[in-house]
Amino acid sequence: MRITDFAEMRKLADEFGLLILADNTFLSPYFQKPLQLGADIVVHSGTKFLGGHNDVLAGFVCVKGKELSEKLRYTYKTVGCSLSPFDSFLVLRGIKTLSVRLERQQENAKKIALWLKNRPEVTEVYYPGLEDHPGYEVNRKQATGAGSMLSFRVDTVERTRKILESVKLISYAESLGGVESLITYPMLQTHGDVPVEIREHLGITEDFLRMSVGIENAEDLIKDLEQAFQ
Ligand SMILES: *Cc1c(COP(=O)(O)O)cnc(C)c1O
């Protein structure tokens, strides 16, 4: 949930003659447009918000300027890493509802973040849409929303286990960005192959959980968390 400042990155890149590659998966083009913010190359996992329904694997690479675009085109034509017709159909179909899904997901995420903040069992909440998030101002400067990804810490390791085992409406599963809410245990899942010292340095400890908030009724999601916390 750390926010990178595009303007500062652009200054550094210009100073050292580098290209900027941004992974815009978490916000999607609906909330953030990195090419307009100074990035040269933008990647998106189409599997996540763009597809939006957890039923397709896809990826996008977008570049600035003719030279990069020709290089990229040559690569995918020769390597063959382009999307099948049916997968393309699913992603295009998903994109039609991107704006409505993301507005609802963001609204739900904010409600959940505020609810988590008031729980005595929760020791930290990381959501860039909260005014006290360290990246709040930077995010507001460069993006039109904070998205629907959030993470938090709880008081004990037992509680992380209890929450993961008890959620019913929310699924304990990897991936993110779809219409269904998912909760993950980054230590074992997304960052399971990262060496312990690096993982801990990144703050991905055993009390740490991540949520991708979906489009369900926010009250239902909160009730589900409430029973899982007990
Ligand atoms: C999932 C993810 C990827 C990889 O995308 P796949 O569609 O799973 O190949 C890359 N970046 C971020 C930020 C992701 O969440």
Side-chain angles (χ1 to χ4, degrees):
M1 294 297 117
R2 288 185 188 138
I3 306 296
T4 303
D5 189 322
F6 275 103
E8 293 301 319
M9 292 302 281
R10 190 66 257 170
K11 277 188 220 156
L12 276 177
D14 287 342
E15 192 183 332
F16 294 101
L18 302 170
L19 293 177
I20 295 181
L21 190 157
D23 184 332
N24 201 39
T25 298
F26 274 28
L27 285 180
S28 92
Y30 179 65
F31 285 133
Q32 181 168 267
K33 298 171 172 59
L35 290 181
Q36 292 174 11
L37 295 166
D40 302 288
I41 302 172
V42 188
V43 295
H44 291 97
S45 167
T47 311
K48 315 287 174 53
F49 290 98
L50 295 171
H53 297 77
N54 293 318
D55 56 6
V56 58
L57 295 176
F60 290 84
V61 188
C62 320
V63 296
K64 188 177 263 177
K66 204 164 175 217
E67 196 191 329
L68 278 173
S69 118
E70 277 171 3
K71 270 192 191 165
L72 186 71
R73 193 173 182 81
Y74 178 77
T75 304
Y76 79 67
K77 270 174 70 181
T78 48
V79 176
C81 53
S82 47
L83 210 57
S84 77
F86 188 65
D87 288 340
S88 305
F89 161 77
L90 285 174
V91 178
L92 284 171
R93 197 170 178 167
I95 290 174
K96 289 179 188 177
T97 55
L98 183 71
S99 63
V100 249
R101 282 185 284 112
L102 265 61
E103 287 293 346
R104 170 65 170 252
Q105 285 175 257
Q106 171 171 253
E107 192 185 311
N108 283 353
K110 180 133 197 216
K111 285 182 186 162
I112 291 176
L114 290 171
W115 180 83
L116 287 167
K117 265 185 98 75
N118 285 320
R119 290 297 299 201
E121 307 90 340
V122 176
T123 54
E124 293 282 352
V125 180
Y126 305 95
Y127 177 61
L130 295 177
E131 282 175 31
D132 59 359
H133 186 279
Y136 178 80
E137 284 303 330
V138 174
N139 189 62
R140 228 169 59 127
K141 182 180 72 173
Q142 58 195 25
T144 54
S148 57
M149 297 301 297
L150 59 88
S151 48
F152 58 100
R153 290 183 200 286
V154 289
D155 49 359
T156 62
V157 184
E158 293 71 49
R159 194 170 315 276
T160 56
R161 302 271 151 83
K162 171 76 181 21
I163 293 169
L164 294 170
E165 282 166 13
S166 312
V167 283
K168 296 191 180 97
L169 176 60
I170 302 164
S171 301
Y172 171 28
E174 241 178 276
S175 199
L176 59 102
V179 290
E180 300 99 356
S181 294
L182 307 177
I183 192 162
T184 57
Y185 197 27
M187 181 182 103
L188 294 182
Q189 296 178 301
T190 51
H191 294 68
D193 57 355
V194 177
V196 182
E197 310 89 88
I198 298 175
R199 179 167 61 65
E200 304 233 313
H201 177 71
L202 293 171
I204 298 162
T205 46
E206 54 188 12
D207 57 355
F208 185 73
L209 293 166
R210 184 186 85 180
M211 263 192 88
S212 168
V213 182
I215 64 166
E216 302 90 338
N217 179 295
E219 297 311 309
D220 288 347
L221 291 171
I222 288 172
K223 270 192 195 136
D224 194 31
L225 287 171
E226 202 153 36
Q227 62 82 27
F229 269 74
Q230 271 155 15

